[in-house]
Amino acid sequence: MPSYDTIIVGAGPAGCATAYDLAHAGRRVLLLDRRSFPRHKACACGLTRKTLNALRYSVDPVIEYICHEVVLQQGNNDTAIQELRVHTRNPICAMAVRERFDAFCLKQTLAAGSNGGSVTFLKIENIIAIRESDASVELDVETADGPLTFAAPVLIGADGSNGQTRRLIHQQREPGWYERGFALEACVPYSAMPAELPCGNAPTDLVFDFAPLPGGYGWLFPKGDHVNIGVGVFAASEEYADTNLRQVTRQRLADYTMHKLGVELTAITAHITGQYLGMGGDAYTPRGRVLLAGDAAGLVDQLTGEGIYSALISGQAAAAAITSNTTDVARAYAKRLRPLQRTLAFSARAARSFYREPERGFRAMRHPLLRRIILKIYTEGFPANGLLRFFLGHA
Ligand SMILES: Cc1cc2nc3c(=O)[nH]c(=O)nc-3n(C[C@H](O)[C@H](O)[C@H](O)COP(=O)(O)OP(=O)(O)OC[C@H]3O[C@@H](n4cnc5c(N)ncnc54)[C@H](O)[C@@H]3O)c2cc1C
């Protein structure tokens, strides 16, 4: 049976981040994905400064647009629309197209390696079974050429919000801590938009709009030749979460696109795609030899819907735990994951409060100091130390 130092299921940001660091630490990694790359993944691919800083390499070749200004909106046709335009000296968000971003990151990952470390990529059809023993993990997969079995001391489940790994290690059931958000997106070329947008925004405005649906927001993310428009619900742990999730429909996105951009989505045959976002991971406790990272571990931020940063940080934490050469890799991973989980728990509480009454949250954002703190945390993350320096620094 072919064996590796680590098997990783899923070659998105979490899987690639894990594989990259392991290969550089001299480990032989098997990286599996159900899809060939480049592949589409529903995502607005806004990369905050903390995400860019967490990446081990520059992703400049796939950055299409850099935003120094964010437009926050609240209110709809029945209530007065309020708008807050915040300009910052440093970039708030860099914009990429997810398909190209992931293909680029996978390419860097497959080229990574030192001291005999390497990453082997294999496309599989499905996972059949995971068997965990005291010393190793065995993985049965279905491939186009038939079933195969691999073994390794550790397996990382980085297979996203719908991933099989989490369900298999929890005996086919979702664990109690796991929650979901849901978001839909479409791309509208600048060339399909009217000269003046009905909402009054410029086509290249980065917009977060808390009006279209409860428990989440609508967005406009400007790219090189199009705008990524979407609606999503992220405050998943509210009692009315299911009702909120059901409001994220294709019709709602079509109505929102007409309202914001004056474009009939069906007329431009836009590809509308959606996906769940894995949440609740602040309560995830790593156990055994199968560890979860990224959306599979429920690590999306419930306030902002941002997940690429957590995917990178958790993947890197898993790699660091593995290379620490401890016998209890789950414990080592849990320790390294904790700072991120604390941040996500804080965000989940903030999300519950904010989305219960977004008008109040919006009013709070009018206060310059509070606005500065919130934006700084969104773009740069929580300060590891030096709170005073953090708040006095320039946004
Ligand atoms: C509409 C939408 C917009 C979003 N916008 C943003 C944004 O602007 N910024 C941001 O930071 N986050 C955003 N997110 C969240 C972000 O997309 C995720 O948090 C991020 O992709 C998580 O990375 P991951 O590596 O954990 O999982 P994924 O990126 O989902 O990667 C999982 C990989 O596993 C593979 N896989 C799945 N099942 C199997 C299997 N059984 N066997 C083998 N492989 C498998 C998949 O093919 C995939 O390649 C958005 C999400 C959605 C749905």
Side-chain angles (χ1 to χ4, degrees):
M1 177 192 318
S3 65
Y4 289 84
D5 293 322
T6 304
I7 299 170
I8 301 171
V9 183
C16 280
T18 320
Y20 187 92
D21 280 9
L22 286 175
H24 269 297
R27 306 300 166 107
R28 288 167 49 257
V29 178
L30 177 65
L31 181 59
L32 306 170
D33 205 290
R34 219 160 42 178
R35 308 275 302 275
S36 304
F37 286 63
R39 55 103 179 86
H40 175 76
K41 149 88 179 84
C43 184
C45 209
L47 306 169
T48 52
R49 222 178 311 155
K50 61 182 185 288
T51 306
L52 297 172
N53 290 340
L55 280 156
R56 301 291 191 217
Y57 37 83
S58 162
V59 289
D60 281 355
V62 291
I63 298 300
E64 301 208 348
Y65 197 78
I66 294 180
C67 302
H68 285 259
E69 191 175 64
V70 59
V71 184
L72 304 170
Q73 293 175 336
Q74 203 273 317
N76 51 37
N77 290 339
D78 307 327
T79 59
I81 296 174
Q82 302 177 58
E83 183 173 291
L84 207 57
R85 205 169 262 273
V86 191
H87 191 86
T88 60
R89 210 171 40 174
N90 292 322
I92 294 175
C93 221
M95 293 293 164
V97 169
R98 189 58 197 266
E99 187 174 325
R100 280 173 235 148
F101 173 77
D102 279 2
F104 181 84
C105 292
L106 179 61
K107 194 171 165 203
Q108 308 305 308
T109 303
L110 295 180
S114 55
N115 303 322
S118 63
V119 182
T120 305
F121 179 81
L122 179 70
K123 184 188 173 298
I124 61 169
E125 301 301 313
N126 239 330
I127 301 175
I128 302 166
I130 298 175
R131 287 180 299 281
E132 213 179 330
S133 70
D134 284 350
S136 73
V137 185
E138 285 180 16
L139 175 74
D140 299 334
V141 296
E142 191 63 50
T143 72
D145 300 324
L148 288 173
T149 299
F150 299 101
V154 185
L155 184 144
I156 305 295
D159 44 353
S161 57
N162 300 325
Q164 275 180 286
T165 316
R166 182 184 56 251
R167 287 196 297 273
L168 282 172
I169 60 168
H170 290 275
Q171 283 88 39
Q172 303 291 345
R173 296 178 52 185
E174 290 291 11
W177 52 263
Y178 190 72
E179 296 164 7
R180 287 175 201 275
F182 184 68
L184 280 172
E185 52 118 59
C187 297
V188 178
Y190 294 123
S191 57
M193 296 178 199
E196 297 226 338
L197 299 185
C199 59
N201 285 120
T204 51
D205 277 348
L206 163 63
V207 177
F208 290 87
D209 177 359
F210 299 100
L213 70 188
Y217 59 80
W219 71 79
L220 302 177
F221 278 20
K223 312 287 173 177
D225 61 359
H226 68 272
V227 168
N228 180 294
I229 184 166
V231 287
V233 161
F234 311 111
S237 51
E238 287 282 279
E239 307 107 54
Y240 49 85
D242 283 347
T243 326
N244 285 355
L245 288 188
R246 278 198 293 274
Q247 300 204 28
V248 187
T249 60
R250 296 170 77 86
Q251 188 56 51
R252 186 163 296 244
L253 180 57
D255 292 347
Y256 188 60
T257 306
M258 178 52 81
H259 170 64
K260 292 305 256 191
L261 303 178
V263 168
E264 184 79 63
L265 270 185
T266 48
I268 58 162
T269 57
H271 188 43
I272 300 179
T273 56
Q275 194 170 340
Y276 286 109
L277 297 96
M279 295 177 167
D282 51 285
Y284 162 57
T285 307
R287 288 207 174 85
R289 296 186 167 275
V290 180
L291 310 176
L292 302 173
D295 271 32
L299 296 175
V300 171
D301 187 308
Q302 294 199 20
L303 185 61
T304 61
E306 186 186 15
I308 298 174
Y309 172 71
S310 292
L312 298 175
I313 295 296
S314 58
Q316 291 164 358
I322 292 166
T323 52
S324 69
N325 284 327
T326 170
T327 49
D328 193 346
V329 71
R331 192 154 169 225
Y333 179 44
K335 190 171 157 214
R336 286 170 171 80
L337 201 57
R338 215 159 288 138
L340 175 67
Q341 288 179 309
R342 273 199 287 269
T343 306
L344 294 175
F346 175 86
S347 255
R349 285 195 297 277
R352 279 193 280 282
S353 157
F354 179 84
Y355 288 114
R356 195 171 298 129
E357 222 183 314
E359 317 77 57
R360 215 175 54 169
F362 197 84
R363 271 201 305 277
M365 285 289 281
R366 290 196 174 279
H367 192 284
L369 180 63
L370 196 61
R371 187 166 69 223
R372 189 158 151 209
I373 292 171
I374 291 171
L375 260 186
K376 217 166 157 67
I377 290 174
Y378 171 63
T379 54
E380 292 177 23
F382 270 86
N385 48 38
L387 261 184
L388 192 63
R389 257 187 60 206
F390 175 77
F391 290 136
L392 293 179
H394 296 289

